[in-house]
Amino acid sequence: MKIDFVSDVSCPWCAIGLKALEEAIERIGPSVSVEIHFQPFELNPDMPAGGQDITEHLVQKYGITPEQADSNREGIRQRGRQVGFDFNMERRGRIYNTFDAHRLLHWAGLQGRQRELKHALFETYFTEGMDPSDHGVLTALAVKVGLNQSDVRELLAGDAFAQQVREHERFYAEQGIRSVPSVIINDRHLIQGGQPVELFEQALRQIVAEG
């Protein structure tokens, strides 16, 4: 079974959705071979260096009040807890550009370390509150999951895989993907949002049964 997980590093529902999807896969068991490929999507492709205050960003982008933003964050925290992900909202004060993180993820996929890096990026941003656009942060994470430090530094210093990431982003946009996470199974079935484990499990079992 092939799963394309279209997501952004700065999307909390993507972190929730990934944990729920992985638990659903575990429930199905080893009889079904699953390959997850992480595909790029930028919620804020024009975000400048240094990022933006997250409450200010949410108010401007979605037209909600600061109080609504706080309420939404608490809901996300609770949903994260249900799937074993720790959101430390008090540490995450800003939202950042994620293009370099996607370039690094693309390369990590070629090295067989993409899934590990994806988890590390989510935890670094949402749990530790660090900047996923910072090259020092990205380098440390890449080394932590087993990637070569000098190769990572060279990649980040240039524009390696920028074209591939842009092409993938454009492809999914042309397929009608406007929100994340978007989970595409066997290039045919689409599940969107940070859905509960049970929904993912039911969908996967149905797809397996259909052959």
Side-chain angles (χ1 to χ4, degrees):
M1 180 182 291
K2 174 194 173 191
I3 298 179
D4 289 296
F5 192 89
V6 187
S7 62
D8 196 3
V9 172
S10 62
C11 163
W13 289 105
C14 295
I16 292 169
L18 178 57
K19 294 287 285 187
L21 174 63
E22 289 179 328
E23 184 173 335
I25 292 170
E26 287 184 10
R27 289 185 183 184
I28 292 174
S31 61
V32 179
S33 176
V34 178
E35 289 185 0
I36 302 179
H37 303 273
F38 294 97
Q39 306 294 353
F41 186 101
E42 291 179 84
L43 288 168
N44 304 288
D46 299 321
M47 184 64 65
Q52 183 183 17
D53 176 85
I54 193 162
T55 299
E56 177 185 81
H57 172 77
L58 293 172
V59 169
Q60 289 179 358
K61 185 172 183 177
Y62 300 107
I64 60 177
T65 66
E67 292 74 21
Q68 288 172 320
D70 288 341
S71 177
N72 290 345
R73 281 195 284 265
E74 181 56 32
I76 288 169
R77 189 201 304 270
Q78 293 176 10
R79 282 293 304 276
R81 190 176 297 119
Q82 292 171 6
V83 294
F85 189 89
D86 186 14
F87 285 98
N88 284 328
M89 298 301 189
E90 63 279 2
R91 295 185 181 179
R92 186 172 65 103
R94 301 186 73 77
I95 192 163
Y96 301 94
N97 186 287
T98 57
F99 186 67
D100 283 343
H102 286 299
R103 289 198 299 124
L104 188 60
L105 278 165
H106 181 93
W107 178 67
L110 301 177
Q111 308 301 313
R113 292 288 186 272
Q114 193 179 51
R115 190 167 174 177
E116 295 91 337
L117 182 60
K118 187 72 167 183
H119 278 290
L121 284 164
F122 279 148
E123 291 169 7
T124 293
Y125 180 50
F126 290 114
T127 304
E128 300 174 17
M130 299 178 71
D131 177 0
S133 69
D134 183 276
H135 286 188
V137 171
L138 291 175
T139 300
L141 288 182
V143 171
K144 182 179 179 180
V145 302
L147 295 169
N148 181 272
Q149 185 179 69
S150 60
D151 289 343
V152 173
R153 286 177 173 170
E154 182 179 355
L155 182 154
L156 293 173
D159 62 353
F161 305 111
Q163 181 179 346
Q164 291 90 331
V165 170
R166 294 295 188 209
E167 288 174 353
H168 288 180
E169 289 178 332
R170 185 163 51 251
F171 171 79
Y172 287 103
E174 290 172 352
Q175 302 307 307
I177 301 300
R178 299 288 183 269
S179 63
V180 287
S182 287
V183 181
I184 304 168
I185 305 170
N186 292 338
D187 299 318
R188 295 174 52 203
H189 308 277
L190 173 64
I191 304 173
Q192 291 188 299
Q195 301 294 342
V197 176
E198 292 75 17
L199 188 148
F200 280 121
E201 181 184 4
Q202 181 183 13
L204 294 176
R205 290 190 185 280
Q206 182 175 344
I207 292 168
V208 170
E210 292 173 353

